[in-house]
PDB file of all heavy atoms in Angstrom:
ATOM      1  N   ALA A 405     -14.485   7.058  14.077  1.00  0.00           N
ATOM      2  CA  ALA A 405     -13.482   6.399  15.069  1.00  0.00           C
ATOM      3  C   ALA A 405     -14.086   6.101  16.489  1.00  0.00           C
ATOM      4  O   ALA A 405     -13.928   5.076  17.085  1.00  0.00           O
ATOM      5  CB  ALA A 405     -12.180   7.272  15.216  1.00  0.00           C
ATOM      6  N   ALA A 406     -14.820   7.085  17.021  1.00  0.00           N
ATOM      7  CA  ALA A 406     -15.497   6.907  18.246  1.00  0.00           C
ATOM      8  C   ALA A 406     -16.467   5.819  18.279  1.00  0.00           C
ATOM      9  O   ALA A 406     -16.471   4.988  19.257  1.00  0.00           O
ATOM     10  CB  ALA A 406     -16.163   8.255  18.700  1.00  0.00           C
ATOM     11  N   ASP A 407     -17.152   5.588  17.049  1.00  0.00           N
ATOM     12  CA  ASP A 407     -18.145   4.402  17.079  1.00  0.00           C
ATOM     13  C   ASP A 407     -17.337   3.125  16.962  1.00  0.00           C
ATOM     14  O   ASP A 407     -17.816   2.246  17.720  1.00  0.00           O
ATOM     15  CB  ASP A 407     -18.751   4.547  15.700  1.00  0.00           C
ATOM     16  CG  ASP A 407     -20.031   3.613  15.551  1.00  0.00           C
ATOM     17  OD1 ASP A 407     -20.156   2.770  16.456  1.00  0.00           O
ATOM     18  OD2 ASP A 407     -20.781   3.770  14.718  1.00  0.00           O
ATOM     19  N   LEU A 408     -16.198   3.119  16.371  1.00  0.00           N
ATOM     20  CA  LEU A 408     -15.342   1.882  16.312  1.00  0.00           C
ATOM     21  C   LEU A 408     -14.887   1.493  17.673  1.00  0.00           C
ATOM     22  O   LEU A 408     -14.988   0.291  18.232  1.00  0.00           O
ATOM     23  CB  LEU A 408     -14.237   1.991  15.386  1.00  0.00           C
ATOM     24  CG  LEU A 408     -13.123   0.932  15.383  1.00  0.00           C
ATOM     25  CD1 LEU A 408     -13.681  -0.395  15.104  1.00  0.00           C
ATOM     26  CD2 LEU A 408     -11.978   1.363  14.515  1.00  0.00           C
ATOM     27  N   LEU A 409     -14.282   2.628  18.422  1.00  0.00           N
ATOM     28  CA  LEU A 409     -13.811   2.335  19.728  1.00  0.00           C
ATOM     29  C   LEU A 409     -14.954   1.845  20.807  1.00  0.00           C
ATOM     30  O   LEU A 409     -14.655   1.015  21.611  1.00  0.00           O
ATOM     31  CB  LEU A 409     -12.944   3.567  20.258  1.00  0.00           C
ATOM     32  CG  LEU A 409     -11.727   3.915  19.501  1.00  0.00           C
ATOM     33  CD1 LEU A 409     -11.195   5.307  20.042  1.00  0.00           C
ATOM     34  CD2 LEU A 409     -10.695   2.762  19.587  1.00  0.00           C
ATOM     35  N   ALA A 410     -16.045   2.508  20.625  1.00  0.00           N
ATOM     36  CA  ALA A 410     -17.167   2.193  21.579  1.00  0.00           C
ATOM     37  C   ALA A 410     -17.618   0.746  21.245  1.00  0.00           C
ATOM     38  O   ALA A 410     -17.946  -0.007  22.250  1.00  0.00           O
ATOM     39  CB  ALA A 410     -18.310   3.138  21.369  1.00  0.00           C
ATOM     40  N   THR A 411     -17.609   0.266  19.915  1.00  0.00           N
ATOM     41  CA  THR A 411     -18.046  -0.996  19.777  1.00  0.00           C
ATOM     42  C   THR A 411     -16.981  -1.979  20.304  1.00  0.00           C
ATOM     43  O   THR A 411     -17.348  -2.925  21.013  1.00  0.00           O
ATOM     44  CB  THR A 411     -18.144  -1.302  18.279  1.00  0.00           C
ATOM     45  OG1 THR A 411     -19.064  -0.268  17.717  1.00  0.00           O
ATOM     46  CG2 THR A 411     -18.544  -2.670  17.988  1.00  0.00           C
ATOM     47  N   LEU A 412     -15.740  -1.696  20.227  1.00  0.00           N
ATOM     48  CA  LEU A 412     -14.657  -2.603  20.872  1.00  0.00           C
ATOM     49  C   LEU A 412     -14.671  -2.671  22.360  1.00  0.00           C
ATOM     50  O   LEU A 412     -14.377  -3.682  22.952  1.00  0.00           O
ATOM     51  CB  LEU A 412     -13.340  -2.104  20.513  1.00  0.00           C
ATOM     52  CG  LEU A 412     -12.976  -2.200  19.018  1.00  0.00           C
ATOM     53  CD1 LEU A 412     -11.615  -1.625  18.659  1.00  0.00           C
ATOM     54  CD2 LEU A 412     -13.044  -3.619  18.572  1.00  0.00           C
ATOM     55  N   ARG A 413     -15.349  -1.635  22.963  1.00  0.00           N
ATOM     56  CA  ARG A 413     -15.580  -1.568  24.555  1.00  0.00           C
ATOM     57  C   ARG A 413     -16.710  -2.335  24.838  1.00  0.00           C
ATOM     58  O   ARG A 413     -17.069  -2.318  26.044  1.00  0.00           O
ATOM     59  CB  ARG A 413     -15.413  -0.065  24.934  1.00  0.00           C
ATOM     60  CG  ARG A 413     -14.158   0.557  24.787  1.00  0.00           C
ATOM     61  CD  ARG A 413     -14.044   1.814  25.662  1.00  0.00           C
ATOM     62  NE  ARG A 413     -15.146   2.978  25.248  1.00  0.00           N
ATOM     63  CZ  ARG A 413     -14.865   3.809  24.499  1.00  0.00           C
ATOM     64  NH1 ARG A 413     -13.692   3.881  23.868  1.00  0.00           N
ATOM     65  NH2 ARG A 413     -15.908   4.606  24.113  1.00  0.00           N
ATOM     66  N   GLY A 414     -17.478  -2.617  23.991  1.00  0.00           N
ATOM     67  CA  GLY A 414     -18.853  -3.330  24.225  1.00  0.00           C
ATOM     68  C   GLY A 414     -20.190  -2.477  24.172  1.00  0.00           C
ATOM     69  O   GLY A 414     -21.057  -2.963  24.610  1.00  0.00           O
ATOM     70  N   ASP A 415     -19.982  -1.298  23.504  1.00  0.00           N
ATOM     71  CA  ASP A 415     -21.105  -0.531  23.201  1.00  0.00           C
ATOM     72  C   ASP A 415     -21.408  -0.424  21.890  1.00  0.00           C
ATOM     73  O   ASP A 415     -20.897   0.466  21.140  1.00  0.00           O
ATOM     74  CB  ASP A 415     -20.900   0.855  23.906  1.00  0.00           C
ATOM     75  CG  ASP A 415     -22.172   1.743  23.616  1.00  0.00           C
ATOM     76  OD1 ASP A 415     -23.195   1.246  23.270  1.00  0.00           O
ATOM     77  OD2 ASP A 415     -22.034   2.971  23.952  1.00  0.00           O
ATOM     78  N   PRO A 416     -22.110  -1.348  21.170  1.00  0.00           N
ATOM     79  CA  PRO A 416     -22.363  -1.372  19.749  1.00  0.00           C
ATOM     80  C   PRO A 416     -23.485  -0.491  19.167  1.00  0.00           C
ATOM     81  O   PRO A 416     -23.986  -0.753  18.016  1.00  0.00           O
ATOM     82  CB  PRO A 416     -22.623  -2.943  19.456  1.00  0.00           C
ATOM     83  CG  PRO A 416     -23.315  -3.440  20.555  1.00  0.00           C
ATOM     84  CD  PRO A 416     -22.785  -2.487  21.817  1.00  0.00           C
ATOM     85  N   CYS A 417     -24.014   0.314  19.977  1.00  0.00           N
ATOM     86  CA  CYS A 417     -25.163   0.941  19.583  1.00  0.00           C
ATOM     87  C   CYS A 417     -25.045   2.189  18.837  1.00  0.00           C
ATOM     88  O   CYS A 417     -25.967   2.984  18.379  1.00  0.00           O
ATOM     89  CB  CYS A 417     -26.134   1.380  20.880  1.00  0.00           C
ATOM     90  SG  CYS A 417     -26.797  -0.210  21.673  1.00  0.00           S
ATOM     91  N   GLY A 418     -23.814   2.591  18.400  1.00  0.00           N
ATOM     92  CA  GLY A 418     -23.685   3.614  17.436  1.00  0.00           C
ATOM     93  C   GLY A 418     -24.069   4.980  17.832  1.00  0.00           C
ATOM     94  O   GLY A 418     -23.869   5.403  19.004  1.00  0.00           O
ATOM     95  N   LEU A 419     -24.699   5.628  16.994  1.00  0.00           N
ATOM     96  CA  LEU A 419     -25.188   7.045  17.172  1.00  0.00           C
ATOM     97  C   LEU A 419     -26.120   7.076  18.470  1.00  0.00           C
ATOM     98  O   LEU A 419     -26.283   8.149  19.165  1.00  0.00           O
ATOM     99  CB  LEU A 419     -25.649   7.529  16.014  1.00  0.00           C
ATOM    100  CG  LEU A 419     -26.104   9.128  16.085  1.00  0.00           C
ATOM    101  CD1 LEU A 419     -25.058  10.078  16.415  1.00  0.00           C
ATOM    102  CD2 LEU A 419     -26.624   9.589  14.751  1.00  0.00           C
ATOM    103  N   GLN A 420     -26.852   6.143  18.715  1.00  0.00           N
ATOM    104  CA  GLN A 420     -27.913   6.074  19.751  1.00  0.00           C
ATOM    105  C   GLN A 420     -27.216   6.345  21.148  1.00  0.00           C
ATOM    106  O   GLN A 420     -27.849   6.997  21.946  1.00  0.00           O
ATOM    107  CB  GLN A 420     -28.632   4.715  19.809  1.00  0.00           C
ATOM    108  CG  GLN A 420     -29.729   4.691  20.807  1.00  0.00           C
ATOM    109  CD  GLN A 420     -30.448   3.269  20.817  1.00  0.00           C
ATOM    110  OE1 GLN A 420     -30.078   2.422  20.053  1.00  0.00           O
ATOM    111  NE2 GLN A 420     -31.328   3.355  21.549  1.00  0.00           N
ATOM    112  N   SER A 421     -25.970   5.886  21.406  1.00  0.00           N
ATOM    113  CA  SER A 421     -25.379   6.000  22.566  1.00  0.00           C
ATOM    114  C   SER A 421     -24.822   7.565  22.817  1.00  0.00           C
ATOM    115  O   SER A 421     -24.457   7.993  23.865  1.00  0.00           O
ATOM    116  CB  SER A 421     -24.165   5.151  22.735  1.00  0.00           C
ATOM    117  OG  SER A 421     -24.566   3.831  22.683  1.00  0.00           O
ATOM    118  N   ALA A 422     -24.732   8.390  21.732  1.00  0.00           N
ATOM    119  CA  ALA A 422     -24.308   9.634  21.805  1.00  0.00           C
ATOM    120  C   ALA A 422     -25.426  10.657  21.716  1.00  0.00           C
ATOM    121  O   ALA A 422     -25.128  11.825  21.771  1.00  0.00           O
ATOM    122  CB  ALA A 422     -23.381   9.977  20.569  1.00  0.00           C
ATOM    123  N   LEU A 423     -26.724  10.325  21.701  1.00  0.00           N
ATOM    124  CA  LEU A 423     -27.783  11.183  21.592  1.00  0.00           C
ATOM    125  C   LEU A 423     -28.581  11.194  22.947  1.00  0.00           C
ATOM    126  O   LEU A 423     -28.627  10.387  23.691  1.00  0.00           O
ATOM    127  CB  LEU A 423     -28.716  10.780  20.548  1.00  0.00           C
ATOM    128  CG  LEU A 423     -28.416  10.976  19.047  1.00  0.00           C
ATOM    129  CD1 LEU A 423     -29.476  10.436  18.170  1.00  0.00           C
ATOM    130  CD2 LEU A 423     -28.027  12.315  18.782  1.00  0.00           C
ATOM    131  N   LEU A 424     -29.087  12.476  23.217  1.00  0.00           N
ATOM    132  CA  LEU A 424     -29.845  12.737  24.482  1.00  0.00           C
ATOM    133  C   LEU A 424     -31.182  13.235  23.931  1.00  0.00           C
ATOM    134  O   LEU A 424     -31.273  13.928  22.902  1.00  0.00           O
ATOM    135  CB  LEU A 424     -29.349  13.827  25.226  1.00  0.00           C
ATOM    136  CG  LEU A 424     -27.790  13.377  25.819  1.00  0.00           C
ATOM    137  CD1 LEU A 424     -27.156  14.696  26.419  1.00  0.00           C
ATOM    138  CD2 LEU A 424     -27.788  12.284  26.719  1.00  0.00           C
ATOM    139  N   VAL A 425     -32.395  12.850  24.635  1.00  0.00           N
ATOM    140  CA  VAL A 425     -33.682  13.227  24.310  1.00  0.00           C
ATOM    141  C   VAL A 425     -34.345  14.088  25.278  1.00  0.00           C
ATOM    142  O   VAL A 425     -34.259  13.833  26.448  1.00  0.00           O
ATOM    143  CB  VAL A 425     -34.601  11.867  24.085  1.00  0.00           C
ATOM    144  CG1 VAL A 425     -35.898  12.083  23.603  1.00  0.00           C
ATOM    145  CG2 VAL A 425     -33.833  10.957  23.145  1.00  0.00           C
ATOM    146  N   GLU A 426     -35.103  15.104  24.645  1.00  0.00           N
ATOM    147  CA  GLU A 426     -35.924  15.940  25.511  1.00  0.00           C
ATOM    148  C   GLU A 426     -37.296  15.263  25.531  1.00  0.00           C
ATOM    149  O   GLU A 426     -38.170  15.579  24.748  1.00  0.00           O
ATOM    150  CB  GLU A 426     -35.926  17.301  24.947  1.00  0.00           C
ATOM    151  CG  GLU A 426     -36.633  18.365  25.913  1.00  0.00           C
ATOM    152  CD  GLU A 426     -36.609  19.667  25.257  1.00  0.00           C
ATOM    153  OE1 GLU A 426     -36.268  19.866  23.918  1.00  0.00           O
ATOM    154  OE2 GLU A 426     -36.787  20.728  26.020  1.00  0.00           O
ATOM    155  N   THR A 427     -37.616  14.536  26.582  1.00  0.00           N
ATOM    156  CA  THR A 427     -38.814  13.825  26.576  1.00  0.00           C
ATOM    157  C   THR A 427     -40.059  14.773  26.955  1.00  0.00           C
ATOM    158  O   THR A 427     -41.135  14.504  26.700  1.00  0.00           O
ATOM    159  CB  THR A 427     -38.811  12.677  27.508  1.00  0.00           C
ATOM    160  OG1 THR A 427     -38.403  13.104  28.837  1.00  0.00           O
ATOM    161  CG2 THR A 427     -37.741  11.601  27.070  1.00  0.00           C
ATOM    162  N   ASP A 428     -39.764  15.751  27.846  1.00  0.00           N
ATOM    163  CA  ASP A 428     -40.676  16.777  28.259  1.00  0.00           C
ATOM    164  C   ASP A 428     -40.268  18.204  28.132  1.00  0.00           C
ATOM    165  O   ASP A 428     -39.592  18.699  28.989  1.00  0.00           O
ATOM    166  CB  ASP A 428     -41.255  16.392  29.724  1.00  0.00           C
ATOM    167  CG  ASP A 428     -42.121  17.343  30.268  1.00  0.00           C
ATOM    168  OD1 ASP A 428     -42.847  18.058  29.405  1.00  0.00           O
ATOM    169  OD2 ASP A 428     -42.461  17.318  31.455  1.00  0.00           O
ATOM    170  N   PRO A 429     -40.603  18.905  26.984  1.00  0.00           N
ATOM    171  CA  PRO A 429     -40.038  20.181  26.793  1.00  0.00           C
ATOM    172  C   PRO A 429     -40.528  21.041  27.872  1.00  0.00           C
ATOM    173  O   PRO A 429     -39.766  22.193  28.221  1.00  0.00           O
ATOM    174  CB  PRO A 429     -40.730  20.659  25.422  1.00  0.00           C
ATOM    175  CG  PRO A 429     -40.959  19.280  24.782  1.00  0.00           C
ATOM    176  CD  PRO A 429     -41.455  18.351  25.794  1.00  0.00           C
ATOM    177  N   ALA A 430     -41.673  20.964  28.492  1.00  0.00           N
ATOM    178  CA  ALA A 430     -42.086  21.876  29.614  1.00  0.00           C
ATOM    179  C   ALA A 430     -41.347  21.911  30.754  1.00  0.00           C
ATOM    180  O   ALA A 430     -41.231  22.822  31.576  1.00  0.00           O
ATOM    181  CB  ALA A 430     -43.564  21.573  29.971  1.00  0.00           C
ATOM    182  N   ALA A 431     -40.564  20.713  31.092  1.00  0.00           N
ATOM    183  CA  ALA A 431     -39.841  20.677  32.247  1.00  0.00           C
ATOM    184  C   ALA A 431     -38.436  21.576  32.197  1.00  0.00           C
ATOM    185  O   ALA A 431     -38.031  21.833  33.216  1.00  0.00           O
ATOM    186  CB  ALA A 431     -39.221  19.250  32.359  1.00  0.00           C
ATOM    187  N   GLY A 432     -38.239  22.142  31.079  1.00  0.00           N
ATOM    188  CA  GLY A 432     -37.077  23.048  30.906  1.00  0.00           C
ATOM    189  C   GLY A 432     -37.396  24.493  30.808  1.00  0.00           C
ATOM    190  O   GLY A 432     -36.500  25.296  30.697  1.00  0.00           O
ATOM    191  N   LEU A 433     -38.674  24.804  31.049  1.00  0.00           N
ATOM    192  CA  LEU A 433     -39.047  26.293  30.963  1.00  0.00           C
ATOM    193  C   LEU A 433     -38.269  27.055  32.124  1.00  0.00           C
ATOM    194  O   LEU A 433     -38.122  26.583  33.266  1.00  0.00           O
ATOM    195  CB  LEU A 433     -40.521  26.480  31.071  1.00  0.00           C
ATOM    196  CG  LEU A 433     -41.425  25.962  29.966  1.00  0.00           C
ATOM    197  CD1 LEU A 433     -42.821  26.148  30.218  1.00  0.00           C
ATOM    198  CD2 LEU A 433     -41.000  26.801  28.660  1.00  0.00           C
ATOM    199  N   LEU A 434     -37.688  28.159  31.649  1.00  0.00           N
ATOM    200  CA  LEU A 434     -36.973  29.080  32.693  1.00  0.00           C
ATOM    201  C   LEU A 434     -37.857  29.690  33.673  1.00  0.00           C
ATOM    202  O   LEU A 434     -38.787  30.305  33.269  1.00  0.00           O
ATOM    203  CB  LEU A 434     -36.068  29.929  31.824  1.00  0.00           C
ATOM    204  CG  LEU A 434     -34.994  29.269  30.945  1.00  0.00           C
ATOM    205  CD1 LEU A 434     -34.332  30.301  30.091  1.00  0.00           C
ATOM    206  CD2 LEU A 434     -33.988  28.468  31.758  1.00  0.00           C
ATOM    207  N   PRO A 435     -37.391  29.948  34.818  1.00  0.00           N
ATOM    208  CA  PRO A 435     -38.078  30.734  35.808  1.00  0.00           C
ATOM    209  C   PRO A 435     -37.847  32.294  35.468  1.00  0.00           C
ATOM    210  O   PRO A 435     -36.906  32.633  34.787  1.00  0.00           O
ATOM    211  CB  PRO A 435     -37.537  30.378  37.116  1.00  0.00           C
ATOM    212  CG  PRO A 435     -36.215  29.963  36.812  1.00  0.00           C
ATOM    213  CD  PRO A 435     -36.319  29.305  35.491  1.00  0.00           C
ATOM    214  N   ALA A 436     -38.702  33.041  35.983  1.00  0.00           N
ATOM    215  CA  ALA A 436     -38.714  34.560  35.864  1.00  0.00           C
ATOM    216  C   ALA A 436     -37.452  35.037  36.621  1.00  0.00           C
ATOM    217  O   ALA A 436     -37.212  34.496  37.642  1.00  0.00           O
ATOM    218  CB  ALA A 436     -39.950  35.223  36.412  1.00  0.00           C
TER     219      ALA A 436
END
Side-chain angles (χ1 to χ4, degrees):
D407 192 349
L408 170 63
L409 295 177
T411 302
L412 295 177
R413 291 194 300 264
D415 180 10
C417 292
L419 183 57
Q420 185 181 0
S421 298
L423 288 179
L424 305 170
V425 181
E426 186 182 19
T427 57
D428 183 10
L433 290 174
L434 297 174

